[in-house]
Amino acid sequence: MIAQDHTGRLQLLMSERHKTAFVIAGGGSFGAVHAGMLRALVAHGVTPDMIIGSSVGAMNGAYFAFAPDADGVGKLEAIWRGLSRRDVFPVGVSTLTNLAFRGEFGIETSGLRRLIDTHLPGRTLEQARLPIHVVATDFLSGEAVVLADGPVADAVIASCAIPGAFAPVLHRTRYLTDGAVASNTPIKIAADLGATRAIVLPTGFACALKEPPRGAIAHALHAVTLLIARQLISDMQIIGQRLEISIVPSLCPLGGAAHDFSHAAELIERAAQSTLIWLETGGLERRDVPDQLRAHGHR
């Protein structure tokens, strides 16, 4: 049910029959949009009972799970505004040596681990204020793996381990890789965990490119963002009978590369404004797939 209070803000009134999940998708540096979306949702009193995140959505979801309020979202925005590509993809001499002479994966996960250890107020998933479920992929079997306990850094790094860029992460007894491979927008997992309503926060894809992005990492991330959009549409059709699904519209047109963090501030503000408009025009009551996620371009 949606109601409007005396301040003119929409609030989501949760009844006992509803259990709401924020499902936060992957998308590299486009994950900055999540901070803007969360700002608008929190300002309107929309709060989840659980959070499910994959890839960069796992990172943002974990942070929000520890600080699920306006102050926490403000700090998340500040983190995004201060990020550079080197913070996440620290390509140096050792990286090139590993790739050229040893045939090993090129990028170390030290940047991601430092980022998580520096900014997250807790060290284990169980310490979060809201239940957080991090989705990764078993690199050997292809199964989706849901992590809900243990070290936050290990879970998030596994979920963000883009194939071809980062090596699979040995977590307990399994080699795990990016959640995108098995379930980048894990709506089915939300239903399996008992959610009756899913509010999906996608990143969208670079629909305004004039030519392919340059570099192996850029190619991999662009392919992942296209995969997310296709998968989300498919999941909506299959899982939509099991729970209520509302998809926050992603940004369109969207250009740039999914490994370029220099436009984070702009993405945050655009996402906050577009989400505000979506909320004020009854977005939470819609059950359709936004046109921004369907295949299209702006040539």
Side-chain angles (χ1 to χ4, degrees):
M1 178 186 295
I2 306 297
Q4 189 165 7
D5 65 11
H6 65 279
T7 65
R9 294 178 176 177
L10 291 174
Q11 291 185 333
L12 185 63
L13 303 181
M14 303 297 182
S15 64
E16 291 184 358
R17 70 184 182 86
H18 277 307
K19 189 173 185 179
T20 300
F22 277 7
V23 180
I24 310 181
S29 62
F30 295 155
V33 304
H34 295 149
M37 293 173 175
L38 288 169
R39 183 207 296 176
L41 289 166
V42 169
H44 282 71
V46 185
T47 56
D49 298 292
M50 68 175 79
I51 299 169
I52 302 162
S54 179
S55 199
V56 73
M59 186 179 299
N60 286 330
Y63 190 93
F64 184 72
F66 278 93
D69 50 37
D71 183 60
V73 173
K75 291 177 180 176
L76 179 61
E77 290 183 31
I79 294 169
W80 272 101
R81 289 189 175 96
L83 280 181
S84 68
R85 180 164 54 185
R86 184 173 292 275
D87 292 326
V88 181
F89 303 111
V91 179
V93 174
S94 62
T95 298
L96 298 176
T97 299
N98 286 342
L99 187 61
F101 296 104
R102 300 176 186 171
E104 298 176 355
F105 292 88
I107 303 175
E108 298 178 356
T109 58
S110 56
L112 278 175
R113 185 172 295 277
R114 189 180 308 110
L115 187 63
I116 297 164
D117 289 342
T118 299
H119 295 291
L120 276 182
R123 290 292 175 265
T124 66
L125 294 169
E126 303 96 306
Q127 293 174 321
R129 287 165 57 185
L130 292 175
I132 169 69
H133 304 272
V134 173
V135 181
T137 302
D138 186 311
F139 192 67
L140 301 183
S141 70
E143 297 173 284
V145 178
V146 182
L147 306 173
D149 57 47
V152 180
D154 291 352
V156 171
I157 289 170
S159 185
C160 292
I162 305 163
F166 296 102
V169 175
L170 179 59
H171 185 274
R172 296 172 181 166
T173 61
R174 299 175 117 171
Y175 286 96
L176 303 181
T177 191
D178 197 317
V181 177
S183 188
N184 209 308
T185 309
I187 299 174
K188 180 180 183 300
I189 291 171
D192 291 343
L193 289 170
T196 57
R197 174 189 283 125
I199 300 175
V200 182
L201 283 66
T203 60
F205 60 93
C207 55
L209 292 178
K210 304 300 182 185
E211 59 184 19
R214 297 181 179 179
I217 297 173
H219 285 168
L221 282 169
H222 182 63
V224 165
T225 58
L226 294 175
L227 171 65
I228 297 167
R230 303 293 83 72
Q231 187 181 66
L232 178 52
I233 293 171
S234 175
D235 286 353
M236 183 78 170
Q237 295 170 341
I238 297 171
I239 312 299
Q241 302 298 319
R242 293 178 57 186
L243 75 169
E244 296 179 7
I245 304 172
S246 299
I247 304 174
V248 181
S250 51
L251 298 182
C252 180
L254 182 61
H259 72 320
D260 180 3
F261 293 81
S262 64
H263 303 292
E266 175 192 352
L267 295 179
I268 291 170
E269 295 306 321
R270 285 182 63 193
Q273 183 61 28
S274 66
T275 305
L276 174 66
I277 294 171
W278 178 75
L279 288 165
E280 291 181 341
T281 55
L284 287 170
E285 297 177 318
R286 297 177 194 151
R287 301 292 175 260
D288 58 329
V289 176
D291 290 339
Q292 294 90 325
L293 289 174
R294 299 187 184 278
H296 69 282
H298 299 275
R299 294 181 181 178

